[in-house]
Amino acid sequence: VPQALWGNCFDGTPTAGDQCQKNVLGADGNIYWHLLGGSKNGQRDITYAGQVLFQGSDYDPNGTSQNNNLCILKTNQQGEVVWKMYSTSCDYSTNEGSVAATSDGGVVFTAKMRSTDDGGSSELLFADVTLVDGKGATHNYAWPHNDGDRRFYRMMVGRLSAEGELMWVKFITPDRTPGPAASGNNADLWTNTINTSALAVAADEENNVYFGGNFRNRMTIDGTDVVLTPHNISKWSGDPQAAAGDLFLIKLKGDGTYLGHLTTTVSSGTPTSESLAEIIWADGALYAQALFFSPDCSFTLGGKNFTTAGTFSPVLMRIDANLNATWITPLKGETIQGKYGFQNCGITKVNNSLWFTGQYDGVITYDADHSFSSNPAYPSVREGFLSKFDATSGAMLAGVSSADSYPRSLGANYASLCGYFKAIQNPTDDSKVYVYGYGMNANLGIFLRGYDAQTLKSNPQTDEWSLVKGGQMPTCQSIAYDADNAKIFVSARGRMTPFVLYGNPSLTVQQPNSTWTVLLAGYQMPDSFLQTGLVRTTFAEELEVKGSKGMITVRNGMDDATTVVVYDITGRQAARIDAVPGSTSVSLPSGVYIVAGKKVMI
């Protein structure tokens, strides 16, 4: 069973605002957490594990919203701080930022921010964007504005080294000039034209950076003359809560130099909105999930044509390093009794399976043989979903709703709102897949649920662990999985009552105050989560090739030396190993390699 190893709270002082946007396993085995912590005048301390981590922005306590401060926190696997990068100005937007690990042990990140709320004075309004990196260096970036501007949002993407040095930051600055249908408070200025659920980001083996989301007005990529222009805004009033705009995907070199971008072209129909929600880099390609509110419209993206259908359309895609789409799979989303919802989605690629999870109401259809639906008797109660796709072709193989395998008939724990945030799977023992999610029920809390990876069947008696309870009904936020050490690292959000973490004995984590706080925690998982990393070559019993952190090791059981050639995922020779009898190791960057026609992961 899982055993909780540690749990610490990340907490700001105001009543709301504390969030963990995402966490990832770094190439060096440490954990990166993308965090937001609230602050205001006289209450600026942001704490972690009961100690002051940094002081946030000095925001007017009479303002109408909490000031959210950005923190990229690096911890070791014991939850101890390695370093932190944090902001001392600006208000960072909740649920609009992400992180991705780079192959050198560092991280890339995205965020969306506006100037600090100062109650109307000019002291903090349009102040520099100020970041203090993991080495203690302060970095200032000017805030461009015109006379008469109100507060407006910009997007930021940046890269940090493994040691915490802020290597570079790039901004995306939208045009604030209103479009033809501008009205109301947005008639003279558009202040919020980058609107997405994630601000997704990924990095490839060469540390090229990919990021994207949704944009609703012309925007300029920092340091270039590249201007992106959306096509879905002719009827948009400027209200950030209304659906509008196009998806975008931008590629930068590892040093921040612009390399290219993707947006859609409309072939037919009148689309309403498109948003890129999640991207991951895996096995030499980018896998992405988007959401379209554009029924019966045809598009082209990255050279591929596709057509959307239904009230809403989740779209999965595979894109190569040259920004060409190799497949695009649109799904049809329909309402149930006029209700629908689609949020908190995640994608995970393991071997040739692409797992797609999320939280929804409605019916999702791929074709006549592949669909899944939430419970029509409870149209207002969102459920979790788990679906499986062929990563080579994009075809849907199976899908299941949380209520299908954990129905209300099991008891009150399963009669509430539920969400499946992310799937994890052991690459070398992939018979099962596990979803990280939560039920809006204090007795269920945050869980891992196991499913048969082929049939998506589950046994509720043995396949569910409630990882976190307490916290007055906690909700999950993110998960990182270290298959080499069979550990998971999770974040959750709750308030008031202590968190209780699964284990024998269980671990209780006291909350620092009665307001919302974020729990960061680590667990040792059962052996079924442990990746052996062992790939046998054609020499079978006499030669073994194992990938581990930073190296490939060849164990030669023969009497004579032999040569083993290692290729990268694109087919280029990465190493040539003269394997003497016994063990021989060679250092290589993290990634996927091919040895004797089989994959080895580092």
Side-chain angles (χ1 to χ4, degrees), residues 262-265 300-306 319 323-326 328:
L262 280 181
T263 55
T264 60
T265 300
T300 301
L301 179 68
K304 285 288 182 182
N305 302 321
F306 64 100
I319 298 170
L323 301 184
N324 296 312
T326 53
I328 296 178

Side-chain angles (χ1 to χ4, degrees), residues 527-543:
D527 288 345
S528 58
F529 287 75
L530 181 64
Q531 174 181 286
T532 64
L534 185 66
V535 176
R536 294 188 182 276
T537 72
T538 52
F539 290 94
E541 299 302 322
E542 298 179 324
L543 193 68

